[in-house]
Amino acid sequence: MKRSAIDEEKPRNADLFLHRRQGEGVRTVHSQIETTERDPRSAQGPWSDLALHTIGWRAFQDLCSQVCEVVLRRPVEIFREAQDGGQDAVFLIPSPNGEQLIGTIQCKHTSDAGKALKLSDLSAEIGNVEELVKGGQADTYIFMTNMSVDAPVAAAMRAKLREFGVRKPHILGRQYIVRVIKSSARLRALVPQVYGLGDLTAIVDERLSEQSRALLDSWIPKLRTYVPTQAHRDAVNAISDHGVVLLLGNPASGKSAIGAIVSTIASENPDNTVLALTSPRDFEAGWNPNDPGRFFWIDDAFGSNVLRDDYVQDWASAFSKLRAAIKHGNRFLLTSRKHIYEAARRRLGQRNLAQFADGSAVVDVGELTFEEKAQILYNHINFGEQSQSWRSNVKPHLAAVAAVEEFLPGIAERLGDPNFTKGLTPRESSLVRFMEEPTEHLIDTVSALDEQLRAALYLIYVHQAGFDPSDHDAAAAQAVSDLTGFSLAKIQDCFAELKGSFLKQSGAKWTFAHPTISDALTEVLRQKPHMMAALIRGAPIDTILGSFTCEGSPLIRDALVIPSGLNEALVARLSHTPDENHRNWMLFHFLSYRANDAVFAKLIGQFPEILRRHCWQSDPLANDPRFHTYGRAHQFGLLPEDLRCEAARSLESAALSDFDMSFFAERGMLALISPLRLVGLGLALRTNLLPALEEKIDEIAADADLDEEPDSHFKKLLGALERIEEMGVELDDDAVGLVGDARDQVNRAVDGLEERKRERDEENEDDTDWTYIVTQKKEEPSPPEPAVTKRSVFDDVDK
């Protein structure tokens, strides 16, 4: 009987392990995998070999059996070593007449990474092969090895096996095994150790690319409401000119929409792989310098609702890699709230990306013309879920809404969603107020939700990175359950009801549809102290350290304030912060800037060992939270003398060896150095540092990164000279001359770097053109037209 096309696709026997028939021709699985790898939606990357020679023969045998099991989609039986009768694994092959044909897999492992398979490698197996054929156990014989395999050798080995009665012989070498591993997420899940066998960034990025694709797919329906604004065009031009753009805007200003749409369009270019990331660490892990086709979209790059100081620290080191990635053809789109980036910019100082520091790659998405506002509002109302009668009632007032000075596209989208307009009267004053005071309306909307629905929002809130039902913080989830009185299962049942309005889903992870929902919940929780108590006890420590602040400490915009009555509970949570570099840095930062005096003194008094924890060191030292914490502890008399001396030595060394004297402006840090040693430091700066300035300036100029602003390389050195003068160190005529000569030399070095940069840019001008995704050409503004009666864009919004 002739098989159907559908039957042809099923893995009926071992032949289908290696071949698919297509007409009269045959194509191998290799070809299938190559076709998959050419899929524009798959990650493109360099050939990544695996160190299979390092895993040992048994692990390799297990790996081979898993490869066969995944590809054949049937169980594979493994025999014990030394008693396998020449069979490392066995699988059964159903035949059309119901017979069970038996296939054998023989594995051959070598610890020599460069070894190639030879025909003689089969000699030791010939006796076993003959016995297996006689016993009916080698209808198919698969020889798998981690050695490389040349085609003539494979052909000779297959011929030899046929001579001994094997009907279907196959020789599979390292290249085939690596290809199968790269093409199968299931296989990688079954054999996770392969992730440690070599440069598998292409595999990891394939998974990340799929996650990004799922996220971008959720934005595709928004294409019908999307209006390409001048900000959109400026963003594309910035990417084309600089390889990077930073979109700045207030909450709901549309920066994430522009980022998503530009990224979505970029993803349709078969030469691009779009990766949607959530932090600078994700970029550092996902950047592959050998793959020039990556488009990185990093939403809320410096924190979603409040500034993440750990992100600032990460970006300070990641920007150098970002510049290198741009040189290799990668492109970047970052977004941030205005006030969050402004705070980050001050912290970054000279460590900021040059294109951000000078504003050449920064786009303000909030500057919209009336026509753009009106079209955005029209699209959201017209394509929204509001009833026709509601649209008819509000139509006369929509022009007034579009004319609001602080018009926000994200709020216009809510006007098209009945979930957000319940109780909103269709009058001009009400509609205008909805646009002018969006947070208040959102707070009212959240407060009006059923308790179980609010519980679902609280569950997302305490998991600010997103809630994954299969991978979440159990303590935080239990705290929300105890707080609200609903079981976790019942709370999760509400996600589907909130999807599209308050929540969105990317893969298995649930997050807020917009960060402003988190802002509204923060305001709601401020008024509910009993909820705060539960959140302090149950929220993940990263949420507490990154998004909360103590009552009585300097106010941080959008941060949730912990009442003083919860100081004891807060101290208990802080004391259990995991002793890890990343979280220690966040803990020290919290103690430096967000903890009130009572919390600080109580925590350090009860748990003094916290001061001996290690974390990253910030550059410059004035931004280092560990030294700020030491200074504050010293002020309270809680810093052990050995730690004070150690800190003083570190500060002195930074000043003398790295020209880092930024801490002189921080009284608490400066107090760590005793007065006598401070005088000694001044003398050392005079006698050791000033005479070495000429050599140091030459060294800085030689090592300068031409992608940075030329004068930025010397800011630390010039700052040190200013500090020396401010310290009142006695400078004789020779010292004054050295300072003056150093400043003149710096000016000459800056001029030289500018010339080198011009020459480099002329020689290596990047011809990459991203303007293909511009949907509308940038034009010079037209002169104002005489006032005439025009048809309103909202005329047919209720049709």
Side-chain angles (χ1 to χ4, degrees):
M1 180 181 295
K2 189 175 182 179
R3 289 187 291 174
S4 68
I6 295 177
D7 289 333
E8 195 68 31
E9 290 298 309
K10 296 179 180 178
R12 295 291 300 273
N13 54 41
D15 268 349
L16 295 182
F17 175 26
L18 301 168
H19 301 84
R20 294 283 180 93
R21 301 187 182 281
Q22 188 177 44
E24 296 297 322
V26 176
R27 61 192 180 104
T28 67
V29 171
H30 292 217
S31 300
Q32 298 171 39
I33 297 171
E34 288 167 352
T35 302
T36 301
E37 290 177 342
R38 288 194 298 269
D39 186 336
R41 295 190 178 189
S42 299
Q44 305 296 316
W47 175 261
S48 299
D49 202 357
L50 302 182
L52 297 175
H53 62 287
T54 66
I55 65 175
W57 72 268
R58 182 55 190 263
F60 180 70
Q61 174 179 300
D62 293 341
L63 173 62
C64 291
S65 67
Q66 293 288 4
V67 167
C68 293
E69 185 164 334
V70 167
V71 178
L72 293 172
R73 300 179 186 176
R74 69 187 70 257
V76 175
E77 181 180 0
I78 304 175
F79 292 93
R80 288 183 297 161
E81 58 270 19
Q83 299 181 25
D84 60 5
Q87 296 172 298
D88 284 327
V90 170
F91 56 88
L92 300 178
I93 309 170
S95 63
N97 57 12
E99 296 177 357
Q100 290 290 323
L101 303 178
I102 298 178
T104 288
I105 304 168
Q106 184 63 40
C107 306
K108 193 169 187 67
H109 179 264
T110 179
S111 58
D112 183 350
K115 190 172 183 180
L117 184 68
K118 302 188 296 290
L119 181 60
S120 58
D121 290 323
L122 186 61
S123 301
E125 306 299 330
I126 293 301
N128 290 328
V129 171
E130 292 180 306
E131 293 297 321
L132 289 168
V133 170
K134 291 178 181 177
Q137 296 182 312
D139 180 76
T140 296
Y141 188 94
I142 299 175
F143 187 94
M144 302 184 75
T145 179
N146 67 315
M147 292 182 271
S148 61
V149 178
D150 295 325
V153 173
M157 292 183 75
R158 287 194 295 269
K160 195 75 172 176
L161 288 168
R162 289 191 183 96
E163 291 177 10
F164 291 96
V166 175
R167 197 164 61 91
K168 298 175 182 177
H170 302 289
I171 310 299
L172 306 178
R174 183 179 72 239
Q175 293 89 340
Y176 174 79
I177 295 172
V178 171
R179 280 184 180 273
V180 172
I181 292 171
K182 289 183 65 178
S183 68
S184 172
R186 171 173 167 74
L187 179 58
R188 297 192 296 275
L190 291 170
V191 194
Q193 66 265 34
V194 299
Y195 284 98
L197 298 183
D199 176 18
L200 281 189
T201 53
I203 288 179
V204 177
D205 292 341
E206 178 184 341
R207 180 182 61 200
L208 181 57
S209 178
E210 288 302 313
Q211 294 171 348
S212 302
R213 186 71 218 180
L215 177 61
L216 293 177
D217 284 346
S218 70
W219 282 88
I220 288 176
K222 295 182 183 292
L223 282 170
R224 65 177 181 174
T225 63
Y226 185 69
V227 177
T229 62
Q230 185 61 50
H232 167 98
R233 295 186 287 276
D234 289 345
V236 172
N237 290 330
I239 292 175
S240 179
D241 295 339
H242 305 290
V244 63
V245 66
L246 172 62
L247 303 180
L248 294 182
N250 292 325
S253 60
K255 58 187 179 300
S256 296
I258 294 177
I261 299 303
V262 171
S263 299
T264 299
I265 299 172
S267 72
E268 298 309 315
N269 184 334
D271 295 328
N272 298 336
T273 299
V274 175
L275 300 179
L277 310 181
T278 59
S279 73
R281 287 190 176 188
D282 289 343
F283 157 65
E284 292 193 90
W287 172 49
N288 187 331
N290 298 307
D291 186 353
R294 300 190 179 191
F295 186 104
F296 293 90
W297 172 33
I298 308 171
D299 206 17
D300 294 317
F302 301 96
S304 55
N305 298 87
V306 298
L307 175 67
R308 288 284 300 267
D309 292 278
D310 54 324
Y311 283 13
V312 175
Q313 176 72 15
D314 287 344
W315 278 123
S317 62
F319 277 147
S320 60
K321 296 178 182 177
L322 188 146
R323 290 191 296 271
I326 291 174
K327 286 182 182 179
H328 284 84
N330 291 276
R331 296 296 179 259
F332 294 84
L333 188 151
L334 284 70
T335 74
S336 179
R337 296 185 181 188
K338 282 184 177 180
H339 71 277
I340 290 179
Y341 172 68
E342 183 58 29
R345 185 184 63 80
R346 292 195 299 269
R347 301 277 179 86
L348 286 166
Q350 66 186 42
R351 302 172 298 166
N352 201 356
L353 193 69
Q355 297 92 325
F356 294 169
D358 63 17
S360 60
V362 178
V363 174
D364 186 342
V365 306
E367 299 176 356
L368 301 172
T369 66
F370 172 79
E371 289 73 17
E372 289 173 340
K373 295 176 183 178
Q375 190 62 56
I376 290 170
L377 182 59
Y378 172 88
N379 285 1
H380 286 303
I381 299 294
N382 187 51
F383 294 109
E385 301 297 326
Q386 299 285 11
S387 66
Q388 183 178 1
S389 62
W390 190 91
R391 286 181 280 147
S392 296
N393 288 332
V394 302
K395 181 169 73 171
H397 314 304
L398 294 180
V401 176
V404 170
E405 184 175 356
E406 297 299 326
F407 177 93
L408 296 170
I411 307 307
E413 182 177 6
R414 288 178 192 164
L415 276 173
D417 188 340
N419 291 295
F420 291 98
T421 57
K422 295 175 181 177
L424 181 67
T425 56
R427 293 197 301 266
E428 180 175 314
S429 59
S430 299
L431 293 166
V432 168
R433 183 172 174 270
F434 186 93
M435 180 60 69
E436 290 179 335
E437 303 175 4
T439 302
E440 288 77 2
H441 283 285
L442 185 53
I443 292 171
D444 293 341
T445 302
V446 170
S447 299
L449 291 173
D450 292 341
E451 291 185 7
Q452 191 169 330
L453 295 177
R454 285 205 306 274
L457 297 183
Y458 296 149
L459 185 59
I460 303 299
Y461 185 88
V462 298
H463 292 83
Q464 292 203 349
F467 179 83
D468 186 336
S470 62
D471 183 17
H472 61 271
D473 189 306
Q478 188 60 49
V480 173
S481 179
D482 294 342
L483 170 70
T484 60
F486 299 105
S487 68
L488 184 59
K490 286 186 176 297
I491 293 175
Q492 292 184 70
D493 288 342
C494 297
F495 287 171
E497 185 174 345
L498 295 170
K499 184 177 181 180
S501 53
F502 292 89
L503 301 181
K504 64 182 178 182
Q505 187 178 20
S506 177
K509 186 174 288 187
W510 290 87
T511 58
F512 289 126
H514 197 276
T516 52
I517 296 171
S518 182
D519 294 336
L521 283 169
T522 296
E523 295 302 320
V524 170
L525 291 168
R526 286 188 205 276
Q527 312 304 320
K528 300 179 182 294
H530 69 288
M531 291 188 177
M532 278 297 304
L535 291 178
I536 289 298
R537 293 180 175 89
I541 194 64
D542 286 0
T543 300
I544 294 174
L545 296 176
S547 301
F548 290 18
T549 189
C550 291
E551 181 181 356
S553 62
L555 182 65
I556 297 176
R557 180 176 173 179
D558 296 330
L560 188 58
V561 178
I562 304 169
S564 296
L566 294 175
N567 283 354
E568 291 283 355
L570 176 60
V571 167
R573 277 308 308 275
L574 294 178
S575 69
H576 288 94
T577 302
D579 189 0
E580 302 163 356
N581 279 352
H582 168 62
R583 290 190 171 90
N584 287 339
W585 193 95
M586 295 182 72
L587 176 60
F588 285 131
H589 188 274
F590 187 92
L591 292 173
S592 299
Y593 304 106
R594 302 191 180 199
N596 58 33
D597 288 348
V599 168
F600 184 94
K602 190 177 292 291
L603 179 67
I604 300 303
Q606 293 181 11
F607 306 97
E609 66 277 5
I610 284 176
L611 294 174
R612 299 188 181 276
R613 292 189 176 194
H614 297 284
C615 70
W616 318 312
Q617 182 168 303
S618 301
D619 181 28
L621 281 180
N623 296 332
D624 195 301
R626 183 164 64 103
F627 285 102
H628 275 287
T629 300
Y630 285 177
R632 195 173 183 187
H634 183 55
Q635 177 186 351
F636 281 98
L638 297 172
L639 184 68
E641 181 62 15
D642 65 312
L643 283 182
R644 188 199 65 76
C645 293
E646 179 185 327
R649 287 193 296 270
S650 297
L651 296 174
E652 293 167 359
S653 175
L656 292 171
S657 63
D658 197 34
F659 295 96
D660 186 352
M661 298 175 63
S662 59
F663 61 88
F664 276 71
E666 303 294 334
R667 290 187 178 182
M669 294 174 68
L670 194 60
L672 295 171
I673 305 176
S674 66
L676 185 60
R677 293 191 65 163
L678 193 58
V679 171
L681 176 60
L683 294 174
L685 291 171
R686 163 65 184 88
T687 58
N688 299 331
L689 185 144
L690 293 180
L693 285 176
E694 181 178 353
E695 181 180 350
K696 185 65 176 179
I697 292 169
D698 289 340
E699 180 182 328
I700 293 173
D703 296 338
D705 185 344
L706 296 182
D707 288 318
E708 295 280 7
E709 290 301 310
D711 60 351
S712 68
H713 299 90
F714 302 95
K715 286 184 178 179
K716 187 181 291 186
L717 184 146
L718 294 175
L721 295 181
E722 292 175 4
R723 294 293 180 194
I724 291 174
E725 293 172 328
E726 292 171 0
M727 285 172 61
V729 175
E730 195 69 32
L731 296 180
D732 54 29
D733 291 341
D734 289 341
V736 172
L738 288 173
V739 172
D741 291 344
R743 288 197 169 104
D744 291 339
Q745 186 181 353
V746 167
N747 291 333
R748 292 192 298 271
V750 169
D751 292 340
L753 288 177
E754 289 176 342
E755 180 61 28
R756 284 167 55 192
K757 186 175 181 179
R758 281 194 296 271
E759 293 174 355
R760 192 280 310 268
D761 291 343
E762 290 173 0
E763 293 175 0
N764 303 316
E765 184 175 356
D766 185 6
D767 295 326
T768 305
D769 184 12
W770 280 68
T771 55
Y772 71 92
I773 60 175
V774 180
T775 57
Q776 186 175 341
K777 291 184 179 179
K778 183 177 180 179
E779 299 176 353
E780 294 297 324
S782 303
E785 298 179 0
V788 295
T789 303
K790 294 183 179 179
R791 180 186 177 188
S792 170
V793 69
F794 302 108
D795 275 356
D796 61 348
V797 75
D798 56 340
K799 297 298 190 289

